[in-house]
Amino acid sequence: MTREQILNELRIILQDTFEIEPERVTAEANLFVDLELDSIDAVDLAIKLQQLTGKRIKPDGFKTVRTVDDVITAVEQLLAA
């Protein structure tokens, strides 16, 4: 998947799961400040990403994720592993 494809998938996940308008989901958007996710939402997002990639996300690796771009990078790393 390209970065753009991952971003599009994230927009769908965030809209379907958290009712966040897709246009708010930009690479620079902070998950917690701009998109108003909380720690439980982050866990739900990690589960959705596991379903998307078919790979288990290590909690330690996801703790540093703050922006949508961080999520895209994490997904890229999962897919490359």
Side-chain angles (χ1 to χ4, degrees), residues 15-62:
Q15 181 177 26
D16 291 349
T17 309
F18 306 109
E19 299 178 359
I20 297 172
E21 300 86 13
E23 58 274 4
R24 290 179 56 202
V25 182
T26 64
E28 302 80 29
N30 184 293
L31 298 172
F32 306 103
V33 177
D34 301 322
L35 303 181
E36 301 170 12
L37 297 183
D38 61 25
S39 58
I40 293 175
D41 294 336
V43 171
D44 291 340
L45 177 59
I47 291 167
K48 294 289 185 184
L49 293 175
Q50 282 181 202
Q51 293 169 349
L52 174 67
T53 62
K55 299 190 178 188
R56 188 176 187 299
I57 295 175
K58 296 180 180 121
D60 290 342
F62 208 69

CSV table of all heavy atoms in Angstrom, one decimal, residues 15-62:
chain,number,residue,atom,x,y,z
A,15,GLN,N,-13.8,7.6,10.1
A,15,GLN,CA,-15.2,8.1,9.9
A,15,GLN,C,-16.1,7.0,10.4
A,15,GLN,O,-17.1,7.3,11.1
A,15,GLN,CB,-15.4,8.3,8.4
A,15,GLN,CG,-16.8,8.8,8.1
A,15,GLN,CD,-17.1,9.1,6.7
A,15,GLN,OE1,-16.4,8.6,5.8
A,15,GLN,NE2,-18.0,10.0,6.4
A,16,ASP,N,-15.9,5.8,10.0
A,16,ASP,CA,-16.8,4.7,10.4
A,16,ASP,C,-16.8,4.4,11.9
A,16,ASP,O,-17.9,4.1,12.5
A,16,ASP,CB,-16.5,3.4,9.7
A,16,ASP,CG,-16.8,3.5,8.2
A,16,ASP,OD1,-17.4,4.4,7.8
A,16,ASP,OD2,-16.3,2.6,7.5
A,17,THR,N,-15.6,4.5,12.5
A,17,THR,CA,-15.5,4.1,13.9
A,17,THR,C,-15.8,5.3,14.9
A,17,THR,O,-16.4,5.1,15.9
A,17,THR,CB,-14.1,3.5,14.2
A,17,THR,OG1,-13.8,2.5,13.2
A,17,THR,CG2,-14.0,3.0,15.6
A,18,PHE,N,-15.3,6.5,14.5
A,18,PHE,CA,-15.3,7.6,15.4
A,18,PHE,C,-16.1,8.8,14.9
A,18,PHE,O,-16.2,9.9,15.5
A,18,PHE,CB,-13.9,8.1,15.8
A,18,PHE,CG,-13.0,7.0,16.3
A,18,PHE,CD1,-12.0,6.5,15.5
A,18,PHE,CD2,-13.3,6.4,17.5
A,18,PHE,CE1,-11.2,5.4,16.0
A,18,PHE,CE2,-12.5,5.4,18.0
A,18,PHE,CZ,-11.4,4.9,17.2
A,19,GLU,N,-16.7,8.6,13.7
A,19,GLU,CA,-17.6,9.7,13.1
A,19,GLU,C,-16.8,11.0,12.9
A,19,GLU,O,-17.3,12.1,13.1
A,19,GLU,CB,-18.8,10.0,13.9
A,19,GLU,CG,-19.7,8.7,14.0
A,19,GLU,CD,-21.0,8.9,14.9
A,19,GLU,OE1,-21.2,10.0,15.4
A,19,GLU,OE2,-21.7,8.0,15.0
A,20,ILE,N,-15.5,10.8,12.5
A,20,ILE,CA,-14.6,12.0,12.2
A,20,ILE,C,-14.7,12.2,10.7
A,20,ILE,O,-14.5,11.3,9.9
A,20,ILE,CB,-13.2,11.7,12.6
A,20,ILE,CG1,-13.1,11.5,14.1
A,20,ILE,CG2,-12.3,12.8,12.1
A,20,ILE,CD1,-11.8,11.0,14.6
A,21,GLU,N,-15.0,13.5,10.3
A,21,GLU,CA,-15.1,13.9,8.9
A,21,GLU,C,-13.8,13.6,8.2
A,21,GLU,O,-12.8,14.0,8.7
A,21,GLU,CB,-15.5,15.3,8.8
A,21,GLU,CG,-16.8,15.7,9.4
A,21,GLU,CD,-16.7,16.1,10.9
A,21,GLU,OE1,-15.6,16.3,11.3
A,21,GLU,OE2,-17.7,16.2,11.5
A,22,PRO,N,-13.8,12.9,7.0
A,22,PRO,CA,-12.6,12.6,6.3
A,22,PRO,C,-11.7,13.8,6.0
A,22,PRO,O,-10.5,13.7,6.1
A,22,PRO,CB,-13.1,12.0,5.0
A,22,PRO,CG,-14.5,11.5,5.4
A,22,PRO,CD,-15.0,12.4,6.4
A,23,GLU,N,-12.3,15.0,5.8
A,23,GLU,CA,-11.5,16.1,5.5
A,23,GLU,C,-10.6,16.6,6.7
A,23,GLU,O,-9.6,17.3,6.5
A,23,GLU,CB,-12.3,17.3,4.9
A,23,GLU,CG,-13.4,17.8,5.8
A,23,GLU,CD,-14.7,17.0,5.7
A,23,GLU,OE1,-14.8,16.0,5.0
A,23,GLU,OE2,-15.7,17.4,6.4
A,24,ARG,N,-11.0,16.2,7.9
A,24,ARG,CA,-10.2,16.5,9.1
A,24,ARG,C,-9.0,15.7,9.2
A,24,ARG,O,-8.1,16.0,9.9
A,24,ARG,CB,-11.1,16.4,10.3
A,24,ARG,CG,-12.1,17.5,10.4
A,24,ARG,CD,-13.0,17.3,11.7
A,24,ARG,NE,-12.2,17.3,12.9
A,24,ARG,CZ,-12.6,16.8,14.0
A,24,ARG,NH1,-13.7,16.2,14.1
A,24,ARG,NH2,-11.8,16.8,15.1
A,25,VAL,N,-9.0,14.5,8.5
A,25,VAL,CA,-7.9,13.5,8.6
A,25,VAL,C,-6.8,13.9,7.6
A,25,VAL,O,-6.8,13.5,6.5
A,25,VAL,CB,-8.4,12.1,8.4
A,25,VAL,CG1,-7.3,11.1,8.6
A,25,VAL,CG2,-9.6,11.8,9.4
A,26,THR,N,-5.8,14.7,8.1
A,26,THR,CA,-4.7,15.0,7.3
A,26,THR,C,-3.4,14.4,7.9
A,26,THR,O,-3.5,14.1,9.1
A,26,THR,CB,-4.5,16.5,7.2
A,26,THR,OG1,-4.3,17.1,8.5
A,26,THR,CG2,-5.8,17.2,6.6
A,27,ALA,N,-2.4,14.4,7.2
A,27,ALA,CA,-1.1,13.8,7.7
A,27,ALA,C,-0.7,14.5,9.0
A,27,ALA,O,-0.1,13.9,9.9
A,27,ALA,CB,0.0,13.8,6.7
A,28,GLU,N,-0.9,15.8,9.0
A,28,GLU,CA,-0.4,16.7,10.1
A,28,GLU,C,-1.3,16.6,11.3
A,28,GLU,O,-1.0,17.1,12.4
A,28,GLU,CB,-0.3,18.1,9.7
A,28,GLU,CG,0.6,18.4,8.5
A,28,GLU,CD,0.0,18.0,7.2
A,28,GLU,OE1,-1.3,18.2,7.0
A,28,GLU,OE2,0.7,17.6,6.2
A,29,ALA,N,-2.5,16.1,11.2
A,29,ALA,CA,-3.5,16.1,12.3
A,29,ALA,C,-3.1,15.3,13.5
A,29,ALA,O,-2.6,14.1,13.3
A,29,ALA,CB,-4.9,15.6,11.8
A,30,ASN,N,-3.2,15.9,14.7
A,30,ASN,CA,-2.8,15.2,15.9
A,30,ASN,C,-4.1,14.4,16.3
A,30,ASN,O,-5.2,14.9,16.4
A,30,ASN,CB,-2.5,16.2,17.0
A,30,ASN,CG,-2.0,15.5,18.3
A,30,ASN,OD1,-2.8,14.9,18.9
A,30,ASN,ND2,-0.8,15.7,18.6
A,31,LEU,N,-3.8,13.1,16.6
A,31,LEU,CA,-5.0,12.2,16.9
A,31,LEU,C,-5.7,12.7,18.2
A,31,LEU,O,-6.9,12.6,18.2
A,31,LEU,CB,-4.5,10.8,17.2
A,31,LEU,CG,-3.8,10.1,16.0
A,31,LEU,CD1,-3.2,8.8,16.4
A,31,LEU,CD2,-4.8,9.9,14.8
A,32,PHE,N,-5.0,13.2,19.1
A,32,PHE,CA,-5.6,13.5,20.4
A,32,PHE,C,-6.1,15.0,20.5
A,32,PHE,O,-7.1,15.2,21.1
A,32,PHE,CB,-4.6,13.2,21.5
A,32,PHE,CG,-4.1,11.8,21.4
A,32,PHE,CD1,-2.9,11.5,20.9
A,32,PHE,CD2,-5.0,10.7,21.8
A,32,PHE,CE1,-2.4,10.2,20.8
A,32,PHE,CE2,-4.5,9.4,21.7
A,32,PHE,CZ,-3.3,9.1,21.2
A,33,VAL,N,-5.4,15.9,19.8
A,33,VAL,CA,-5.8,17.3,19.9
A,33,VAL,C,-6.8,17.6,18.8
A,33,VAL,O,-7.9,18.1,19.0
A,33,VAL,CB,-4.5,18.2,19.8
A,33,VAL,CG1,-4.9,19.7,19.8
A,33,VAL,CG2,-3.6,17.9,21.0
A,34,ASP,N,-6.3,17.4,17.5
A,34,ASP,CA,-7.2,17.8,16.4
A,34,ASP,C,-8.4,16.8,16.1
A,34,ASP,O,-9.4,17.3,15.8
A,34,ASP,CB,-6.3,17.8,15.1
A,34,ASP,CG,-5.1,18.8,15.2
A,34,ASP,OD1,-5.3,19.8,15.9
A,34,ASP,OD2,-4.0,18.5,14.7
A,35,LEU,N,-8.2,15.5,16.3
A,35,LEU,CA,-9.2,14.6,16.1
A,35,LEU,C,-10.0,14.1,17.3
A,35,LEU,O,-10.9,13.3,17.2
A,35,LEU,CB,-8.7,13.4,15.3
A,35,LEU,CG,-7.9,13.7,14.0
A,35,LEU,CD1,-7.5,12.5,13.3
A,35,LEU,CD2,-8.9,14.5,13.1
A,36,GLU,N,-9.5,14.6,18.5
A,36,GLU,CA,-10.2,14.4,19.8
A,36,GLU,C,-10.3,12.9,20.1
A,36,GLU,O,-11.3,12.5,20.7
A,36,GLU,CB,-11.5,15.1,19.8
A,36,GLU,CG,-11.4,16.6,19.5
A,36,GLU,CD,-12.7,17.3,19.3
A,36,GLU,OE1,-13.8,16.7,19.5
A,36,GLU,OE2,-12.6,18.5,18.8
A,37,LEU,N,-9.3,12.1,19.8
A,37,LEU,CA,-9.4,10.7,20.3
A,37,LEU,C,-8.8,10.6,21.7
A,37,LEU,O,-8.0,11.5,22.1
A,37,LEU,CB,-8.5,9.8,19.4
A,37,LEU,CG,-8.9,9.7,17.9
A,37,LEU,CD1,-8.0,8.8,17.2
A,37,LEU,CD2,-10.4,9.3,17.7
A,38,ASP,N,-9.3,9.6,22.4
A,38,ASP,CA,-8.7,9.4,23.8
A,38,ASP,C,-7.9,8.1,23.8
A,38,ASP,O,-7.8,7.4,22.7
A,38,ASP,CB,-9.8,9.5,24.9
A,38,ASP,CG,-10.8,8.4,24.7
A,38,ASP,OD1,-10.6,7.4,24.1
A,38,ASP,OD2,-12.0,8.6,25.2
A,39,SER,N,-7.4,7.7,24.9
A,39,SER,CA,-6.6,6.5,24.9
A,39,SER,C,-7.4,5.2,24.6
A,39,SER,O,-6.8,4.3,23.9
A,39,SER,CB,-5.9,6.3,26.3
A,39,SER,OG,-6.9,6.3,27.3
A,40,ILE,N,-8.6,5.2,24.9
A,40,ILE,CA,-9.4,4.0,24.6
A,40,ILE,C,-9.7,4.0,23.1
A,40,ILE,O,-9.6,2.9,22.4
A,40,ILE,CB,-10.7,4.0,25.4
A,40,ILE,CG1,-10.4,3.7,26.8
A,40,ILE,CG2,-11.7,2.9,24.8
A,40,ILE,CD1,-11.6,3.8,27.8
A,41,ASP,N,-9.9,5.2,22.5
A,41,ASP,CA,-10.1,5.3,21.0
A,41,ASP,C,-8.8,4.8,20.3
A,41,ASP,O,-8.9,4.1,19.3
A,41,ASP,CB,-10.3,6.7,20.6
A,41,ASP,CG,-11.7,7.2,21.1
A,41,ASP,OD1,-12.6,6.4,21.4
A,41,ASP,OD2,-11.8,8.4,21.2
A,42,ALA,N,-7.6,5.1,20.9
A,42,ALA,CA,-6.4,4.7,20.3
A,42,ALA,C,-6.2,3.2,20.3
A,42,ALA,O,-5.7,2.6,19.3
A,42,ALA,CB,-5.2,5.3,21.1
A,43,VAL,N,-6.7,2.5,21.3
A,43,VAL,CA,-6.7,1.1,21.4
A,43,VAL,C,-7.6,0.5,20.3
A,43,VAL,O,-7.3,-0.4,19.5
A,43,VAL,CB,-7.2,0.5,22.7
A,43,VAL,CG1,-7.4,-1.0,22.7
A,43,VAL,CG2,-6.1,0.9,23.8
A,44,ASP,N,-8.8,1.1,20.1
A,44,ASP,CA,-9.8,0.7,19.1
A,44,ASP,C,-9.1,0.9,17.7
A,44,ASP,O,-9.3,0.1,16.8
A,44,ASP,CB,-11.1,1.5,19.2
A,44,ASP,CG,-11.9,1.2,20.4
A,44,ASP,OD1,-11.7,0.1,21.0
A,44,ASP,OD2,-12.8,2.0,20.7
A,45,LEU,N,-8.4,2.0,17.5
A,45,LEU,CA,-7.8,2.3,16.2
A,45,LEU,C,-6.7,1.2,16.0
A,45,LEU,O,-6.6,0.7,14.9
A,45,LEU,CB,-7.1,3.7,16.2
A,45,LEU,CG,-6.4,4.1,15.0
A,45,LEU,CD1,-7.2,4.0,13.7
A,45,LEU,CD2,-5.8,5.5,15.2
A,46,ALA,N,-5.9,0.9,17.0
A,46,ALA,CA,-4.9,-0.1,16.8
A,46,ALA,C,-5.5,-1.5,16.4
A,46,ALA,O,-5.0,-2.2,15.5
A,46,ALA,CB,-4.1,-0.3,18.1
A,47,ILE,N,-6.7,-1.8,17.0
A,47,ILE,CA,-7.3,-3.1,16.6
A,47,ILE,C,-7.8,-3.0,15.1
A,47,ILE,O,-7.6,-4.0,14.4
A,47,ILE,CB,-8.5,-3.3,17.5
A,47,ILE,CG1,-8.0,-3.7,18.9
A,47,ILE,CG2,-9.4,-4.4,17.0
A,47,ILE,CD1,-9.1,-3.6,20.0
A,48,LYS,N,-8.3,-1.9,14.7
A,48,LYS,CA,-8.7,-1.7,13.3
A,48,LYS,C,-7.5,-1.8,12.4
A,48,LYS,O,-7.6,-2.4,11.3
A,48,LYS,CB,-9.4,-0.4,13.1
A,48,LYS,CG,-10.7,-0.2,13.8
A,48,LYS,CD,-11.8,-1.1,13.2
A,48,LYS,CE,-13.1,-0.8,13.9
A,48,LYS,NZ,-14.2,-1.7,13.3
A,49,LEU,N,-6.4,-1.3,12.8
A,49,LEU,CA,-5.2,-1.3,12.0
A,49,LEU,C,-4.7,-2.8,11.9
A,49,LEU,O,-4.1,-3.2,10.9
A,49,LEU,CB,-4.1,-0.4,12.5
A,49,LEU,CG,-4.4,1.1,12.4
A,49,LEU,CD1,-3.4,1.9,13.1
A,49,LEU,CD2,-4.6,1.5,10.9
A,50,GLN,N,-4.8,-3.5,13.0
A,50,GLN,CA,-4.4,-4.9,12.9
A,50,GLN,C,-5.3,-5.7,11.9
A,50,GLN,O,-4.8,-6.5,11.2
A,50,GLN,CB,-4.6,-5.6,14.3
A,50,GLN,CG,-3.5,-5.2,15.3
A,50,GLN,CD,-3.7,-5.9,16.6
A,50,GLN,OE1,-3.1,-5.4,17.6
A,50,GLN,NE2,-4.4,-7.0,16.8
A,51,GLN,N,-6.6,-5.4,11.9
A,51,GLN,CA,-7.5,-6.0,10.9
A,51,GLN,C,-7.1,-5.6,9.5
A,51,GLN,O,-7.1,-6.4,8.6
A,51,GLN,CB,-8.9,-5.6,11.2
A,51,GLN,CG,-9.4,-6.2,12.5
A,51,GLN,CD,-10.8,-5.6,12.9
A,51,GLN,OE1,-11.2,-4.6,12.4
A,51,GLN,NE2,-11.4,-6.2,13.9
A,52,LEU,N,-6.7,-4.3,9.3
A,52,LEU,CA,-6.3,-3.8,8.0
A,52,LEU,C,-5.0,-4.5,7.5
A,52,LEU,O,-5.0,-4.9,6.3
A,52,LEU,CB,-6.1,-2.3,8.0
A,52,LEU,CG,-5.6,-1.6,6.8
A,52,LEU,CD1,-6.6,-1.7,5.7
A,52,LEU,CD2,-5.2,-0.2,7.1
A,53,THR,N,-4.1,-4.6,8.4
A,53,THR,CA,-2.7,-5.2,8.0
A,53,THR,C,-2.6,-6.7,8.1
A,53,THR,O,-1.8,-7.3,7.5
A,53,THR,CB,-1.6,-4.5,8.8
A,53,THR,OG1,-1.8,-4.9,10.2
A,53,THR,CG2,-1.6,-3.0,8.6
A,54,GLY,N,-3.5,-7.3,9.0
A,54,GLY,CA,-3.3,-8.7,9.3
A,54,GLY,C,-2.2,-9.0,10.1
A,54,GLY,O,-1.8,-10.2,10.3
A,55,LYS,N,-1.6,-8.0,10.8
A,55,LYS,CA,-0.4,-8.2,11.6
A,55,LYS,C,-0.7,-7.5,13.0
A,55,LYS,O,-1.4,-6.5,13.1
A,55,LYS,CB,0.8,-7.5,11.0
A,55,LYS,CG,1.1,-8.2,9.7
A,55,LYS,CD,2.5,-7.8,9.2
A,55,LYS,CE,2.7,-8.5,7.8
A,55,LYS,NZ,4.1,-8.3,7.4
A,56,ARG,N,-0.1,-8.1,14.0
A,56,ARG,CA,-0.2,-7.6,15.4
A,56,ARG,C,0.6,-6.4,15.6
A,56,ARG,O,1.7,-6.3,15.2
A,56,ARG,CB,0.2,-8.7,16.4
A,56,ARG,CG,-0.2,-8.4,17.8
A,56,ARG,CD,0.2,-9.6,18.7
A,56,ARG,NE,-0.3,-9.4,20.0
A,56,ARG,CZ,0.1,-8.5,20.9
A,56,ARG,NH1,0.9,-7.5,20.5
A,56,ARG,NH2,-0.4,-8.4,22.1
A,57,ILE,N,0.0,-5.4,16.2
A,57,ILE,CA,0.7,-4.2,16.5
A,57,ILE,C,1.2,-4.3,18.0
A,57,ILE,O,0.4,-4.6,18.9
A,57,ILE,CB,-0.3,-3.0,16.4
A,57,ILE,CG1,-0.7,-2.8,15.0
A,57,ILE,CG2,0.4,-1.7,17.0
A,57,ILE,CD1,-1.7,-1.7,14.8
A,58,LYS,N,2.5,-4.1,18.1
A,58,LYS,CA,3.1,-4.1,19.5
A,58,LYS,C,2.7,-2.8,20.2
A,58,LYS,O,2.9,-1.7,19.7
A,58,LYS,CB,4.6,-4.2,19.4
A,58,LYS,CG,5.0,-5.5,18.7
A,58,LYS,CD,6.5,-5.6,18.7
A,58,LYS,CE,6.9,-7.0,18.0
A,58,LYS,NZ,7.6,-6.9,16.8
A,59,PRO,N,2.1,-2.9,21.4
A,59,PRO,CA,1.7,-1.7,22.1
A,59,PRO,C,2.8,-0.7,22.3
A,59,PRO,O,2.6,0.5,22.2
A,59,PRO,CB,1.2,-2.3,23.5
A,59,PRO,CG,0.9,-3.7,23.2
A,59,PRO,CD,1.8,-4.1,22.1
A,60,ASP,N,4.0,-1.2,22.6
A,60,ASP,CA,5.1,-0.2,22.7
A,60,ASP,C,5.4,0.6,21.5
A,60,ASP,O,5.7,1.8,21.6
A,60,ASP,CB,6.4,-1.0,23.1
A,60,ASP,CG,6.4,-1.5,24.5
A,60,ASP,OD1,5.5,-1.1,25.3
A,60,ASP,OD2,7.1,-2.4,24.8
A,61,GLY,N,5.2,0.0,20.3
A,61,GLY,CA,5.4,0.7,19.1
A,61,GLY,C,4.4,1.7,18.8
A,61,GLY,O,4.6,2.7,18.0
A,62,PHE,N,3.2,1.5,19.4
A,62,PHE,CA,2.1,2.4,19.1
A,62,PHE,C,2.0,3.5,20.1
A,62,PHE,O,1.3,4.5,19.9
A,62,PHE,CB,0.8,1.6,19.0
A,62,PHE,CG,-0.3,2.2,18.1
A,62,PHE,CD1,-0.1,2.2,16.7
A,62,PHE,CD2,-1.4,2.7,18.7
A,62,PHE,CE1,-1.1,2.8,15.9
A,62,PHE,CE2,-2.4,3.3,17.8
A,62,PHE,CZ,-2.2,3.3,16.5
